[in-house]
């Protein structure tokens, strides 16, 4: 068997396991340059989600009244916001990762999948301060950590990372040849907050939508990840001090384990499709950039 292979062709996403040093360098570069020449630096990782939470809480919760029927609405809201923020930042950064690193892509060869994967890892790093705030607030409101809840929260993070990586590979490759792809990504990000039970409970949709639409909605990886975070950080705080049984708005979806399996299958399928499209366009990256 020959040891030679076609130059410039690797094993796709699998190369991140054999090029861990390059991945580490890219992640370190993105982390250190994100807030370079910024006065407040890492404080922006706390300030942005805090401002977003304040706007949603005051407008959607207090003024419009979507907090009715949802105990401890601030924790419910923030646990959903941090998940959507992770998805939006990972997805957006992965989409622009190839174009943003065009100097490296045009000069040397390295597995191009490293760029979108590195940006997803960087988004996850900046997601951790938000989780720290969520944990602190949940503890102050009576949260009692449980092993099941923590496992679900980790699974929610993993689901978002897989899903955003697959979409990032797909749109990141398209964005090199067709810059319109970035506009589609912005539209998807706009809808992301509203296509998951962040500002409202899942039962609000269940009361109005037909069964087939509810099944599609609940199979959305973003919806499942948000519900996992609700179960991890909010459910115990909303029911722990209740003398009466919780209302339907406080109960997890009855088929959540099935929806979770479907959501993970969708996320993995997205990575496979994204990898195929990425490989198809990869050969022309240098020319198109």
């Amino acid at each position: 068997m020959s040891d030679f292979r076609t130059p410039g062709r690797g094993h796709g996403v699998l190369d991140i396991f054999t090029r861990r040093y390059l991945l580490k360098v890219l992640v370190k570069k993105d982390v250190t340059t994100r807030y370079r020449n910024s006065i407040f630096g890492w404080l922006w990782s706390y300030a942005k989600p805090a401002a977003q939470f304040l706007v949603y809480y005051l407008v959607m919760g207090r003024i419009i009244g979507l907090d009715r029927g949802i105990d401890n609405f601030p924790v419910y809201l923030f646990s959903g916001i941090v998940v959507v923020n992770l998805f939006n930042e990972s997805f957006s950064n992965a989409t622009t990762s190839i174009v943003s690193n065009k100097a490296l892509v045009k000069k040397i060869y390295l597995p191009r999948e490293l760029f979108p994967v590195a940006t997803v890892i960087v988004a996850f790093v900046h997601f951790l301060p938000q989780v720290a705030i969520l944990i602190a607030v949940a503890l102050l409101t009576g949260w009692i950590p449980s092993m099941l809840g923590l496992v679900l929260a980790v699974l929610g993070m993993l689901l978002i990372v897989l899903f955003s990586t697959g979409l990032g590979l797909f749109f990141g490759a398209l964005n090199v040849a067709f810059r319109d792809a970035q506009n589609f990504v912005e539209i998807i990000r706009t809808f992301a907050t509203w296509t998951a039970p962040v500002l409202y409970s899942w039962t609000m949709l269940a009361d109005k939508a037909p069964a087939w639409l509810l099944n599609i909605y609940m199979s959305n990886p973003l919806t499942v990840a948000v519900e996992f975070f609700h179960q991890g950080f909010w459910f115990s705080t909303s029911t722990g001090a209740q003398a009466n049984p919780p209302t339907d708005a406080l109960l997890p979806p009855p088929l959540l384990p099935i929806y979770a399996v479907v959501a993970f299958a969708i996320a993995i399928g997205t990575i496979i499709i994204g990898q195929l499209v990425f490989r198809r366009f990869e050969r022309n990256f240098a020319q198109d950039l």
Side-chain angles (χ1 to χ4, degrees):
M1 181 179 295
S2 175
D3 292 331
F4 295 98
R5 62 183 179 183
T6 304
R9 302 292 287 179
H11 298 94
V13 176
L14 296 178
D15 280 335
I16 65 175
F17 298 105
T18 58
R19 308 293 180 92
R20 289 188 295 272
Y21 177 75
L22 289 176
L23 181 62
K24 180 180 178 181
V25 170
L26 291 174
V27 170
K28 183 178 180 179
K29 175 183 73 70
D30 288 346
V31 170
T32 55
T33 60
R34 181 183 179 96
Y35 295 123
R36 179 178 294 174
N37 298 326
S38 172
I39 296 177
F40 297 103
W42 274 82
L43 288 177
W44 288 115
S45 295
Y46 299 88
K48 290 180 180 179
Q52 186 182 16
F53 162 77
L54 185 62
V55 170
Y56 281 144
Y57 176 70
L58 292 178
V59 176
M60 307 304 297
R62 305 305 298 175
I63 297 177
I64 298 180
L66 290 179
D67 61 340
R68 287 192 294 267
I70 302 178
D71 293 321
N72 202 4
F73 183 70
V75 174
Y76 180 92
L77 175 63
F78 195 63
S79 59
I81 286 177
V82 297
V83 174
V84 173
N85 284 347
L86 174 60
F87 171 76
N88 282 341
E89 184 175 354
S90 301
F91 183 21
S92 178
N93 292 352
T95 298
T96 59
S97 61
I98 303 298
V99 175
S100 299
N101 290 279
K102 62 181 179 181
L104 287 175
V105 174
K106 294 169 66 174
K107 289 182 179 179
I108 62 174
Y109 171 75
L110 70 163
R112 275 65 181 267
E113 290 85 356
L114 288 174
F115 296 113
V117 171
T119 58
V120 171
I121 295 175
V122 172
F124 183 79
V125 171
H126 288 97
F127 159 78
L128 294 179
Q130 301 179 44
V131 176
I133 295 176
L134 173 60
I135 292 174
V137 173
L139 286 171
L140 291 175
T141 55
W143 175 54
I144 303 176
S146 68
M147 182 59 66
L148 177 60
L150 294 176
V151 169
L152 289 177
V154 171
L155 288 177
M157 298 178 200
L158 177 61
L159 180 57
I160 292 298
V161 168
L162 292 175
F163 189 47
S164 56
T165 298
L167 290 177
L169 288 170
F170 182 86
F171 283 97
L174 291 181
N175 191 48
V176 176
F178 311 103
R179 300 302 163 86
D180 293 336
Q182 194 167 346
N183 294 322
F184 282 105
V185 170
E186 292 303 318
I187 293 175
I188 294 173
R189 290 182 60 194
T190 301
F191 281 97
T193 304
W194 300 96
T195 56
V198 177
L199 304 175
Y200 55 89
S201 68
W202 68 272
T203 55
M204 292 182 180
L205 181 65
D207 293 337
K208 300 180 182 299
W212 64 268
L213 181 59
L214 179 64
N215 289 331
I216 294 175
Y217 170 83
M218 294 303 305
S219 299
N220 174 15
L222 195 55
T223 298
V224 172
V226 168
E227 280 300 316
F228 277 173
F229 260 62
H230 285 162
Q231 300 309 305
F233 298 105
W234 168 79
F235 185 71
S236 63
T237 68
S238 63
T239 61
Q242 301 279 332
N244 299 319
T247 61
D248 288 344
L250 300 179
L251 293 175
L255 300 178
L256 185 58
I258 297 177
Y259 292 133
V261 172
V262 175
F264 270 101
I266 292 174
I268 295 173
T270 303
I271 288 182
I272 295 173
I273 295 173
Q275 176 67 93
L276 293 174
V277 172
F278 194 94
R279 299 277 283 187
R280 169 66 179 81
F281 284 88
E282 180 184 15
R283 66 192 70 177
N284 295 321
F285 279 176
Q287 298 90 315
D288 291 336
L289 291 172

